[in-house]
Amino acid sequence: MENIELFLNNKRLNKKEIAQKKSILSSKFTSLICTLENKCNIKCIMCGVWRDSWSIPQKIYHEIVNILPYLEHVIWLGGEVFLSPYFADLLDKTKEYPFLEQRINTNALLITEVWAEKLFQNNIELICSIDGATKETYEHIRRGGRFEDLIRALDIIKEMKIKKYNKEFSLRMNVVVMRSNYLELEKIMDFAKEYNFENVQLIGIQGEDSPEHIFTDNPENKQILKQLENIVERLRHKSRQYNINLLNCLPIHNPVCNLEREIKSSEEVKNNEAGKDLFCYLPWQQLLIEPYGYVKFGCWCEEPIGNIMDKSIDEIWNSEIAQLYRRKIAAGDYKSICSMKCRAEDIPEELRIVNEFDKRHGDKVIL
């Protein structure tokens, strides 16, 4: 009960401070995106994270534990999160907080029965990065990863889903689409059905200098993109047939990336009295901890508001630049501080709003 009271009291205060457009907050943030590790157990051809080695310091781990009672959702990032010495303990602690929703980004290769047991005790969306449905393609892209290890881990999860039914546990497959795998996407959708994935998200490869990059205007790529449009259409048909939610974030024909089914629509945002007319709510609701300790409000923010290697999370939450973000957004002067992507409205409005607790739990508790 004490944890529930802490959560609800903070939620009330946070809503009040948003409505008042305060720049110095007494409420805690309610959303955390946290990079636990840069270390990774594989060396993907489209990723350079594995080249570095960084972990959150122990003091920050303890600060995160202290903030857990106030959070309504958290995203754990790597490297590979299952390499973090703190992650098992974090999963044990998070099950104490009934309103906490978690997402975990992983390559899934290190999941054992022990890990699966911990996962299924929580409200979790497990986001597995899988870029091939065959051994040859998978191991070409995810260098150092064994396809057999992936199947073993997915079999454990599949069996656990049957054994320990948990409607709050879900699976998403992230697929980075590139030259080596775009012709295998239909097989990947079949693979997703076999292992009970509820969501499949397609993401275009980054870095135009990569030989795997297919989202440029050269003649060869134009032919590939034409093929890809037809493939995606077939994927839509399969997704409906398999009852899988297809999240298309490919940069072709300017698709709308329906990232999260529970994120509020723009109309709902406009009707929200708390913080009415705010361009972005993140400075009142969220912190993002990046590799090497840099802290921002969101993925698209250009200016860090602090570094956990120098200051505590509480100090960063109300740092001078954090206050400046809030003041400028409250005054409608966000164009002088927010990122070009947000200012140009390339980032949909609903992605600048943290998911609202009220929408999901309003019928269960009274705020």
Side-chain angles (χ1 to χ4, degrees):
M1 282 299 295
E2 182 182 353
N3 286 337
I4 294 175
E5 280 303 307
L6 278 174
F7 175 86
L8 293 178
N9 288 338
N10 183 69
K11 187 68 181 176
R12 292 186 193 101
L13 180 58
N14 186 251
K15 286 169 68 73
K16 182 179 178 182
E17 291 182 328
I18 291 172
Q20 294 172 340
K21 300 180 181 179
K22 286 198 168 184
S23 58
I24 300 177
L25 305 182
S26 298
S27 61
K28 311 285 188 184
F29 49 93
T30 59
S31 175
L32 173 67
I33 305 172
C34 182
T35 305
L36 293 172
E37 286 282 340
N38 252 18
K39 297 175 188 173
C40 194
N41 52 322
I42 56 176
K43 301 176 179 179
C44 299
I45 61 175
M46 67 289 190
C47 177
V49 169
W50 54 268
R51 299 178 191 278
D52 301 314
S53 181
W54 178 87
S55 304
I56 61 164
Q58 190 174 36
K59 75 178 185 74
I60 298 302
Y61 156 72
H62 290 299
E63 290 183 34
I64 290 171
V65 168
N66 290 335
I67 203 72
L68 288 177
Y70 306 98
L71 296 178
E72 61 182 276
H73 46 89
V74 60
I75 301 175
W76 304 112
L77 302 175
E80 176 49 55
V81 292
F82 289 99
L83 288 173
S84 169
Y86 307 119
F87 197 45
D89 191 44
L90 283 168
L91 286 180
D92 287 338
K93 291 184 185 305
T94 53
K95 66 186 179 185
E96 300 172 17
Y97 307 108
F99 297 129
L100 179 59
E101 299 179 354
Q102 300 177 75
R103 294 193 185 109
I104 299 171
N105 283 55
T106 176
N107 57 45
L109 293 168
L110 299 178
I111 293 175
T112 61
E113 289 183 2
V114 173
W115 277 118
E117 190 79 37
K118 291 180 184 293
L119 294 172
F120 275 82
Q121 291 174 5
N122 282 277
N123 179 356
I124 281 175
E125 181 179 35
L126 190 69
I127 304 173
C128 302
S129 298
I130 301 171
D131 309 308
T134 62
K135 178 179 174 68
E136 180 183 11
T137 302
Y138 178 85
E139 293 185 359
H140 167 70
I141 295 171
R142 300 206 155 250
R143 302 279 169 87
R146 295 177 69 249
F147 193 64
E148 293 81 4
D149 291 339
L150 174 67
I151 298 302
R152 172 197 51 76
L154 294 180
D155 280 336
I156 289 172
I157 294 169
K158 186 176 181 178
E159 184 178 341
M160 191 71 74
K161 283 187 85 171
I162 297 169
K163 178 181 171 184
K164 291 198 167 187
Y165 175 71
N166 178 355
K167 65 180 181 180
E168 294 180 328
F169 179 91
S170 65
L171 278 174
R172 184 198 302 186
M173 184 190 298
N174 269 7
V175 184
V176 180
V177 178
M178 63 189 82
R179 196 175 307 276
S180 290
N181 68 358
Y182 77 95
L183 291 174
E184 201 167 286
L185 291 178
E186 288 184 79
K187 287 184 181 178
I188 288 174
M189 186 63 79
D190 296 336
F191 186 87
K193 178 182 183 295
E194 181 180 354
Y195 288 99
N196 298 332
F197 282 84
E198 288 92 350
N199 303 284
V200 172
Q201 181 169 337
L202 307 179
I203 304 167
I205 188 172
Q206 301 294 309
E208 293 188 9
D209 56 341
S210 168
E212 291 285 346
H213 201 288
I214 56 175
F215 301 99
T216 57
D217 288 334
N218 70 51
E220 181 189 2
N221 286 346
K222 281 184 178 178
Q223 287 299 113
I224 290 175
L225 293 179
K226 272 192 173 182
Q227 282 182 283
L228 188 54
E229 287 176 25
N230 293 329
I231 292 169
V232 169
E233 193 53 45
R234 293 197 294 272
L235 289 181
R236 288 194 182 100
H237 175 75
K238 279 197 171 188
S239 70
R240 290 191 291 269
Q241 180 185 348
Y242 295 161
N243 197 26
I244 292 174
N245 189 25
L246 179 64
L247 308 169
N248 180 15
C249 298
L250 297 177
I252 50 176
H253 279 314
N254 192 29
V256 175
C257 180
N258 176 26
L259 274 178
E260 316 298 349
R261 55 197 175 281
E262 75 272 23
I263 284 182
K264 300 187 350 172
S265 71
S266 297
E267 191 57 39
E268 288 172 309
V269 170
K270 289 173 185 172
N271 293 333
N272 185 0
E273 289 302 316
K276 189 177 180 182
D277 300 326
L278 290 177
F279 171 71
C280 177
Y281 287 56
L282 297 188
W284 284 266
Q285 296 180 311
Q286 179 172 280
L287 279 188
L288 162 67
I289 300 176
E290 294 189 322
Y292 309 108
Y294 292 103
V295 179
K296 299 178 179 179
F297 289 122
C299 299
W300 299 106
C301 296
E302 294 174 352
E303 189 72 34
I305 61 171
N307 192 299
I308 59 172
M309 310 304 284
D310 306 321
K311 294 182 178 179
S312 70
I313 289 176
D314 279 343
E315 289 172 322
I316 293 170
W317 182 232
N318 277 313
S319 67
E320 287 186 16
I321 190 162
Q323 294 177 48
L324 181 64
Y325 264 99
R326 295 178 190 126
R327 284 198 303 271
K328 284 187 170 291
I329 290 173
D333 187 26
Y334 59 86
K335 290 186 179 180
S336 64
I337 196 166
C338 290
S339 76
M340 180 65 74
K341 283 183 176 290
C342 292
R343 299 199 310 263
E345 299 185 355
D346 289 343
I347 310 302
E349 183 177 15
E350 57 266 30
L351 299 186
R352 302 194 302 271
I353 312 292
V354 174
N355 303 351
E356 276 295 319
F357 173 85
D358 313 28
K359 185 180 178 186
R360 299 185 305 277
H361 301 287
D363 58 339
K364 300 177 185 175
V365 298
I366 299 174
L367 285 174

